[in-house]
Amino acid sequence: MVFKSKIKWVALFVLALSMGSLLVHLSITKFSAAGLVQYSPLAALRQDFGSLIGTQVSFSSSFFYIYGSRSKKLWGNVKAFESLQPYANPRTNYPAPNEENNGFIYAKVFGGFEKIRSSICDLVTISRLLNATLVIPEIQESLRSKGISYKFKSFSYLYNEEQFIASLTRDVIIVKSLPENLKAARKRNEFPTFKPKVSTSPNYYIQEVLPKLKRTQVIGLILTDGGCLQSILPPSMSELQRLRCRVAFHALQFRPEIEILGRLMVERLRAWGQPFLAYHPGLVRETLAYHGCAELFQDVHTELIQYRRAQMIRQGIVNEELSVDSHLRRDNGSCPLMPEEVGILLRAMGYPPKTIIYLAGSETFGGHRVLIPLRAMFSNLVDRTSLCSQKEFSDLIGPETSLPQDLFQPPPAKSEKQLKEEWNKAGPRPRPLSPPPDRPIYLHEKEGWYGWITESDTEPSPSAMDLRNQAHRLLWDALDYIVSVEADAFFPGFHNDGSKWPDFASLVMGQRLYESAASRTYRPDRKLLAELFNITRENMYHPKHNWTVSVKEHLNRSLDENGFIRQSLFSKPVSFLSHPLPECSCRTSSATVPNELKGKDGRFLYGGEDECPKWIQHGQEAGSLESAGGKTDDSESSDYDELPESDDGDSKNGTTLVFDRDEEWDPND
């Protein structure tokens, strides 16, 4: 009994010690917690950068001010161009077309999206110049594909035929096909056909083509270069330039299925609550081969580019040697900016890592491998496959007949008799040992459109599936075009390349300049940027402060008058649609008239726009009042609401705030 009572007392003692220890720990925790402060990203930012943002003002106002100013610097409109308005209406006596004209013009258009769009604009202009009726052009990229949707053929595969015809009734008479009595004669090749170059002058059509058109009533045009009329026309033909604008920016509307899906993609990008930037790499095999940029890849794509370049030399398109120094071409600005370099430029400008970047272009030569560095710097890199479902793509394409898959078929195995015959024909004995067998080529190495290069020196003709995919690319480019035009900012990886072919990025830049000249469109000088990259090549991811300042200065200049004038100098002579000013715009009377600048040929490089008519100015004033009435009194707060990463509490925001004050910049920060 005594032993049991002692055990009870020991247990009670241990329990009391435990309770006492617990009370002591709780009291210590209570008193020590009085000195703890709950972590807040805003408070931490104030403590870390209080000396930079100013301690005399409240932190909330400083925060909104800094972020608001950053938003305007990255996404705001260019003030120098806010007075420019789209205005492509005729300015002089402009008679309507007469049905009793000189005859019909039919055309076959070859090439991709950008060549098709530019060629159609030239065709309408030529029809007006020759007073002829235009037959709806035939888009060969869709006609060559077998089994595509029966709903959409040729022109209607990409564009809205009814809209095209109705929009140009006061300019050109357009019909869907030749009259029945002329169709049979066309099949018998009774009508003359022409294959004009992209730089053909109006005099050629008046002196050479018009007499044959009057004599035969029908002529055919075959367009392969992305156009059939020179870009710069005499001042007396300014109405034809404005007609080009009406065709490109008003009449050429995509078919409803494309328009609806494209607008839906823009809405889905806007739904994230922050601005987005569209980026077109311009990595296309054709242009890379033309400029000799094969060594930028150092893999199988180098061989593919060289093969295409050899073809272009044989065809007379390229008049240079097959092997050239790609790095010298890059330093000269003839090669595209690689996605890695574009990512560094955007980070140097101050775009945060969570910026939404839309990747445009149906073809990115090099595939996802060349996009890895850009995706590492900007995690929100999206494309059409990120925004649309497979069903939406299928509905856009329409019903198609099934095609056999292009699977690699290994050569048939040789029989024992064939092997013996080869052995007997192998030559006199003793024979040397046969070489070891070649490594087998596996199926996954044969898949893809470049699989032929592993076993053949000749590129095979496009298969039925290849032709169908080329037709589908027209649709993908159309979707990307809609998104790129509507983007808050646009950055071209390769534009104005000097090849005399229209390119996707230049067409986007031209339409953005026409519809909203003040929108943020970068016009980088690749030669200057190559010099800057060569300076910091060994420290590309840790450039010095003065390097980032130089990049900012150049890209900001490319947005304003400097980039505008450069675009007019180098891009407009190749493609009028890439820079349709001053012919297709006007300037509001309230704006300050800029100092006009003319080139050596007498054309305006900057300025020279007519004053806008009153109905445009009244509409602009009403829109300005409406937009001003919708804003809150706190303009700084409204700027902040548009910003990316507004809810993010990490230290990346703080690094971006004081970017100008840092000695070095690290994209990984």
Side-chain angles (χ1 to χ4, degrees), residues 168-310:
L168 298 172
T169 52
R170 297 183 179 180
D171 300 292
V172 175
I173 298 175
I174 303 175
V175 296
K176 293 187 177 181
S177 63
L178 286 172
E180 293 297 329
N181 61 331
L182 298 176
K183 287 183 179 180
R186 179 188 171 184
K187 291 181 179 179
R188 295 191 298 269
N189 297 323
E190 294 182 2
F191 302 126
T193 58
F194 301 86
K195 193 176 180 181
K197 298 294 183 180
V198 69
S199 58
T200 303
S201 68
N203 292 333
Y204 171 80
Y205 290 98
I206 295 175
Q207 298 173 4
E208 301 291 336
V209 178
L210 183 58
K212 294 183 179 180
L213 174 63
K214 290 181 176 180
R215 185 172 65 251
T216 62
Q217 293 298 302
V218 180
I219 63 164
L221 298 178
I222 300 176
L223 309 184
T224 60
D225 293 339
C228 57
L229 183 64
Q230 66 186 37
S231 176
I232 305 297
L233 297 179
S236 59
M237 295 184 177
S238 58
E239 290 298 343
L240 294 181
Q241 298 288 55
R242 282 187 274 274
L243 175 57
R244 277 173 160 171
C245 293
R246 291 196 293 276
V247 177
F249 308 135
H250 298 280
L252 276 181
Q253 301 293 325
F254 300 113
R255 58 181 167 93
E257 295 83 359
I258 299 176
E259 285 283 350
I260 292 173
L261 185 56
R263 302 299 173 186
L264 184 60
M265 292 168 63
V266 175
E267 291 179 5
R268 289 170 179 172
L269 287 167
R270 301 275 186 219
W272 289 349
Q274 65 183 68
F276 71 94
L277 179 144
Y279 161 58
H280 185 265
L283 296 174
V284 182
R285 185 187 180 195
E286 195 85 2
T287 53
L288 291 170
Y290 181 88
H291 293 289
C293 303
E295 295 177 9
L296 298 181
F297 293 90
Q298 297 296 329
D299 56 11
V300 67
H301 296 88
T302 298
E303 299 181 45
L304 293 167
I305 294 173
Q306 288 296 85
Y307 182 88
R308 179 65 186 122
R309 183 173 173 84

Side-chain angles (χ1 to χ4, degrees), residues 113-123 159 198 226-228 244 252 502 507 574-575 577:
F113 175 86
E114 54 278 352
K115 288 187 176 181
I116 292 171
R117 193 171 183 86
S118 182
S119 297
I120 293 174
C121 296
D122 285 358
L123 281 172
Y159 293 111
V198 69
C228 57
R244 277 173 160 171
L252 276 181
L507 292 182
V574 176
S575 173
L577 297 180

Side-chain angles (χ1 to χ4, degrees), residues 259-405:
E259 285 283 350
I260 292 173
L261 185 56
R263 302 299 173 186
L264 184 60
M265 292 168 63
V266 175
E267 291 179 5
R268 289 170 179 172
L269 287 167
R270 301 275 186 219
W272 289 349
Q274 65 183 68
F276 71 94
L277 179 144
Y279 161 58
H280 185 265
L283 296 174
V284 182
R285 185 187 180 195
E286 195 85 2
T287 53
L288 291 170
Y290 181 88
H291 293 289
C293 303
E295 295 177 9
L296 298 181
F297 293 90
Q298 297 296 329
D299 56 11
V300 67
H301 296 88
T302 298
E303 299 181 45
L304 293 167
I305 294 173
Q306 288 296 85
Y307 182 88
R308 179 65 186 122
R309 183 173 173 84
Q311 284 183 325
M312 299 172 82
I313 292 175
R314 290 194 296 268
Q315 296 170 359
I317 301 175
V318 175
N319 299 318
E320 298 176 339
E321 296 181 357
L322 175 62
S323 299
V324 295
D325 191 338
S326 298
H327 298 287
L328 290 179
R329 295 298 175 92
R330 171 189 167 276
D331 293 343
N332 193 37
S334 299
C335 290
L337 294 169
M338 298 302 285
E340 176 186 18
E341 297 173 330
V342 172
I344 292 172
L345 294 174
L346 295 178
R347 292 292 288 120
M349 278 293 294
Y351 287 95
K354 291 188 179 180
T355 300
I356 300 173
I357 298 180
Y358 181 83
L359 182 68
S362 61
E363 177 188 355
T364 300
F365 198 75
H368 290 285
R369 182 184 66 83
V370 299
L371 298 173
I372 290 175
L374 179 62
R375 196 177 298 276
M377 285 182 271
F378 294 94
S379 56
N380 290 333
L381 180 65
V382 299
D383 58 10
R384 61 183 176 278
T385 61
S386 309
L387 301 174
C388 303
S389 64
Q390 192 60 41
K391 183 180 183 302
E392 289 174 323
F393 288 143
S394 300
D395 294 342
L396 180 66
I397 293 171
E400 295 182 330
T401 58
S402 58
L403 293 175
Q405 295 184 350

Side-chain angles (χ1 to χ4, degrees), residues 12 48 53 57 166 180 277 313 394 402 453 476 499:
L12 289 173
D48 293 340
I53 64 178
V57 295
E180 293 297 329
L277 179 144
I313 292 175
S394 300
S402 58
I453 206 167
W476 312 150
S499 63

Side-chain angles (χ1 to χ4, degrees), residues 12 144 209 231 239 317 326 356 359 366 405 426 429 441 453 483 486 491 521 524 541 577 610 617 634 663:
L12 289 173
R144 293 193 305 166
V209 178
S231 176
E239 290 298 343
I317 301 175
S326 298
I356 300 173
L359 182 68
Q405 295 184 350
R429 295 172 176 80
I441 298 177
I453 206 167
V483 176
E486 296 293 329
F491 196 100
T521 304
Y541 288 96
L577 297 180
D610 296 334
Q617 301 195 41
D634 189 359
E663 293 183 359

